[in-house]
Amino acid sequence: VKYQNVILVSIGLVAVIVLSYLGYQNFIILPKSQEATSELNQAQYYFELAVNDKSSDSLYRRALYGGEGKYGFLDIIENYGGTDAAQLATYSAGMSFLNLKDYKNAILYLDKFNGNDIILSSLSKGAIGDAFAQLDQYKEAYDYYITASSLNDNLYTTPKYLYKAAIIGTELGEISYSLELLKRIKKDYPKSNEAALVEVQIARLEKLNN
């Protein structure tokens, strides 16, 4: 009885906070997310066309900057921050810049990607490695390839980035460790595409290592 008023006020505050949160989620966040997803579909459509088109630069630009009254990836990132669609747009924007050979912007956007998809996380780190390699920043490329290979152990991204790390590592003088990476591919991922390439590289590096 003595603390009845305090208890009632506390319960009232909790109720207001919960209702405010639910209202915010249902009437602001959910519609915003749905709108962002709708906008993303068109930009992603252009991106997918670009991936399968040899004359793809104009399509990548349309995916980035929009067209036909629809937002591009950059508009979605700016207007729908905090949504899953904006995160995916960040990844796709980085990959678009990479394909346009705008390596600095590719690194900028891919580094901002923080999605829950482990495969995309590996691919984004590996793509940053590719961008650094194109800029002749081999140490940075090497570090990102190693990171990309370790994020999720699978038959696709792990051997892919172990192989790239081994090739770049050779340029950095990491001959012994590059050999270890190649032998790991041969032993642990014999069915991967990279496994068919390692024998030649192993023989080459063993000569260099003698």
Side-chain angles (χ1 to χ4, degrees):
V1 173
K2 181 179 179 181
Y3 296 105
Q4 182 174 340
N5 289 338
V6 174
I7 293 168
L8 290 174
V9 168
S10 299
I11 291 171
L13 283 172
V14 170
V16 168
I17 291 168
V18 170
L19 290 172
S20 297
Y21 173 79
L22 291 174
Y24 179 74
Q25 290 292 320
N26 290 325
F27 298 109
I28 296 177
I29 294 297
L30 184 59
K32 185 179 179 182
S33 295
Q34 291 171 339
E35 187 178 329
T37 300
S38 175
E39 292 289 350
L40 179 65
N41 287 337
Q42 185 64 43
Q44 202 67 31
Y45 172 71
Y46 289 132
F47 179 81
E48 287 167 10
L49 284 179
V51 169
N52 297 299
D53 193 318
K54 290 182 180 178
S55 306
S56 57
D57 282 10
S58 62
L59 288 169
Y60 280 122
R61 289 192 178 91
R62 185 165 285 196
L64 281 165
Y65 301 107
E68 300 178 8
K70 288 288 188 178
Y71 279 171
F73 294 136
L74 301 184
D75 300 307
I76 294 166
I77 294 165
E78 182 179 350
N79 291 283
Y80 299 103
T83 64
D84 290 341
Q87 271 300 317
L88 184 54
T90 302
Y91 170 81
S92 296
M95 295 302 288
S96 296
F97 280 122
L98 182 65
N99 281 283
L100 288 169
K101 298 180 173 57
D102 185 344
Y103 301 119
K104 290 184 178 179
N105 269 322
I107 293 166
L108 177 68
Y109 282 93
L110 288 167
D111 198 42
K112 290 179 180 177
F113 176 67
N114 188 26
N116 295 322
D117 189 301
I118 298 176
I119 294 292
L120 286 187
S121 295
S122 297
L123 290 173
S124 67
K125 298 301 182 190
I128 293 173
D130 292 340
F132 275 123
Q134 292 296 326
L135 293 169
D136 296 330
Q137 294 179 238
Y138 296 135
K139 179 62 171 69
E140 289 83 357
Y142 177 79
D143 290 342
Y144 272 97
Y145 287 147
I146 292 293
T147 299
S149 71
S150 64
L151 284 176
N152 178 40
D153 191 359
N154 64 78
L155 193 61
Y156 174 59
T157 61
T158 305
K160 176 186 177 76
Y161 294 121
L162 286 174
Y163 186 81
K164 290 192 174 192
I167 299 302
I168 290 286
T170 305
E171 299 294 324
L172 295 170
E174 299 282 352
I175 307 298
S176 295
Y177 190 58
S178 293
L179 265 171
E180 285 182 33
L181 298 180
L182 293 170
K183 288 176 179 178
R184 183 182 164 197
I185 294 170
K186 181 180 176 180
K187 178 185 175 185
D188 296 343
Y189 309 98
K191 294 183 179 179
S192 67
N193 293 331
E194 289 70 25
L197 307 173
V198 297
E199 288 290 356
V200 172
Q201 295 299 332
I202 288 171
R204 181 174 71 90
L205 294 190
E206 282 179 340
K207 268 188 186 177
L208 291 174
N209 207 32
N210 288 333

